[in-house]
């Protein structure tokens, strides 16, 4: 029987991954981030440990005690908390001090390398949820209009350029102008900020994936809450990278989008 470790951040991602693992008969040892992970993971995993942000040595100790050699990262850890909530242990202090930049790729990439040095391999974070990856083409009932398509085309060019700098993976567009760029605050906060700037004009949300071959961490996600915030902020269309974006709780997401007449389209990722 396959056996994996699962590092759980916030949101529905770790819950859905654990539910899928249970259906497949996989044994999962969950390591929940206290400041982020939902408590529901405890009822779904074979065994659950809880650690705080910054306890890198404890994470490695747990994985070695459980003889885990393959682990997946599921759910987000808000980047801003690295600067506000984290109390790094000696191992993480050493890792952070060696980094030239403290963006997502640098931070998590260094953790991945450290785990690899300890004989622990990070695996595809979407391994258990391939059926939730966005397909290419129109995903909702309503097609985007010409104005929306022009905004999406412009937004994808902007978002792909920014993703290359590891700043964020989403932008909010109105009338072919980039109103807001996602950084540490996350997509929902970015949309609310954008809505405060456009004086009632419609927004388009564009999410892209980073130009890399792996899906080990920081995979773009959208879920029912994304649709609720889009409706709240007057965003009428969502563009995502097909095959590289998770649509969490997909049926609920699509029902909400169709009811709100929000168009969702999957585009081939830019390599």
């Amino acid at each position: 029987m396959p056996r994996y470790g699962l590092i759980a951040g916030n949101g529905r991602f770790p819950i859905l991954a654990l539910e899928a693992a249970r259906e497949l008969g996989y044994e999962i040892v969950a390591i929940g981030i206290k400041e982020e992970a939902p408590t529901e993971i405890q009822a779904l995993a074979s065994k659950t440990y809880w650690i705080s942000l910054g306890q890198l040595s404890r994470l490695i100790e747990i994985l070695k005690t459980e003889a885990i050699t393959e682990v997946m990262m599921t759910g987000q850890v808000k980047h801003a908390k690295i600067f506000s909530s984290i109390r790094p242990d000696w191992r993480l202090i050493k890792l952070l001090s060696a980094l030239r930049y403290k963006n997502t790729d640098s931070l998590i990439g260094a953790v991945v390398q450290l785990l690899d040095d300890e004989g622990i391999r990070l695996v595809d974070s979407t391994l258990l949820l391939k059926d939730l990856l966005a397909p290419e083409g129109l995903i909702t009932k309503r097609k985007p209009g010409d104005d929306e398509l022009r905004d999406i085309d412009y937004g994808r060019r902007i978002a792909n350029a920014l993703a290359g700098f590891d700043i964020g993976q989403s932008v909010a567009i109105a009338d072919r102008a980039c109103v807001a760029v996602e950084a540490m605050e996350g997509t929902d906060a970015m949309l609310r900020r954008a809505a405060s700037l456009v004086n009632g004009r419609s927004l388009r949300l564009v999410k892209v994936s980073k130009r890399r071959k792996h899906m080990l961490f920081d995979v773009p996600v959208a879920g029912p809450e994304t649709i609720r915030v889009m409706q709240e902020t007057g965003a009428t269309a969502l563009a995502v990278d097909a095959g590289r974006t998770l649509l969490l709780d997909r049926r609920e997401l699509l029902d909400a989008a169709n009811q709100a007449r929000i168009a969702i389209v999957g585009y081939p990722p830019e390599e």
Side-chain angles (χ1 to χ4, degrees), residues 112-132:
V112 171
Q113 183 58 57
L114 180 61
L115 291 175
D116 191 65
D117 292 343
E118 296 286 342
I120 301 162
R121 185 173 71 92
L122 200 68
V123 299
D124 183 346
S125 64
T126 68
L127 178 69
L128 303 172
L129 298 175
K130 293 298 183 184
D131 59 328
L132 296 183

Side-chain angles (χ1 to χ4, degrees), residues 137-179:
L138 182 66
I139 299 170
T140 47
K141 292 179 180 177
R142 186 179 73 81
K143 297 178 181 179
D146 290 343
D147 286 344
E148 290 170 316
L149 289 171
R150 282 190 286 267
D151 281 351
I152 288 170
D153 180 66
Y154 174 69
R156 282 184 58 77
R157 284 188 281 130
I158 298 295
N160 277 304
L162 290 171
F165 290 101
D166 197 19
I167 295 170
Q169 294 171 283
S170 302
V171 295
I173 305 294
D175 293 337
R176 290 176 297 289
C178 186
V179 180

Side-chain angles (χ1 to χ4, degrees), residues 65-83:
T65 298
E66 291 291 335
I68 296 290
T69 58
E70 293 186 312
V71 64
M72 62 191 75
M73 290 186 176
T74 62
Q76 183 190 41
V77 174
K78 292 185 176 68
H79 200 152
K81 287 193 176 180
I82 294 168
F83 294 88

Side-chain angles (χ1 to χ4, degrees), residues 71-229:
V71 64
M72 62 191 75
M73 290 186 176
T74 62
Q76 183 190 41
V77 174
K78 292 185 176 68
H79 200 152
K81 287 193 176 180
I82 294 168
F83 294 88
S84 60
S85 304
I86 198 168
R87 292 184 179 180
D89 63 14
W90 69 268
R91 199 188 293 262
L92 186 56
I93 289 172
K94 182 179 178 182
L95 182 147
L96 289 170
S97 66
L99 294 180
R100 184 177 181 185
Y101 303 112
K102 292 183 175 63
N103 53 26
T104 303
D105 273 9
S106 295
L107 281 167
I108 304 184
V111 171
V112 171
Q113 183 58 57
L114 180 61
L115 291 175
D116 191 65
D117 292 343
E118 296 286 342
I120 301 162
R121 185 173 71 92
L122 200 68
V123 299
D124 183 346
S125 64
T126 68
L127 178 69
L128 303 172
L129 298 175
K130 293 298 183 184
D131 59 328
L132 296 183
L133 289 171
E136 189 173 331
L138 182 66
I139 299 170
T140 47
K141 292 179 180 177
R142 186 179 73 81
K143 297 178 181 179
D146 290 343
D147 286 344
E148 290 170 316
L149 289 171
R150 282 190 286 267
D151 281 351
I152 288 170
D153 180 66
Y154 174 69
R156 282 184 58 77
R157 284 188 281 130
I158 298 295
N160 277 304
L162 290 171
F165 290 101
D166 197 19
I167 295 170
Q169 294 171 283
S170 302
V171 295
I173 305 294
D175 293 337
R176 290 176 297 289
C178 186
V179 180
V181 173
E182 178 189 24
M184 289 188 186
E185 78 273 42
T187 304
D188 294 351
M190 179 203 68
L191 279 174
R192 292 185 174 112
R193 177 162 52 88
S196 72
L197 300 171
V198 295
N199 196 28
R201 283 180 293 173
S202 295
L203 294 167
R204 331 298 181 194
L205 173 60
V206 177
K207 297 177 77 73
V208 299
S209 56
K210 293 177 182 175
R211 298 176 194 171
R212 57 192 182 202
K213 300 297 182 185
H214 69 74
M215 301 260 291
L216 300 180
F217 55 83
D218 205 24
V219 175
V221 301
E225 182 62 21
T226 307
I227 302 302
R228 284 189 281 272
V229 176

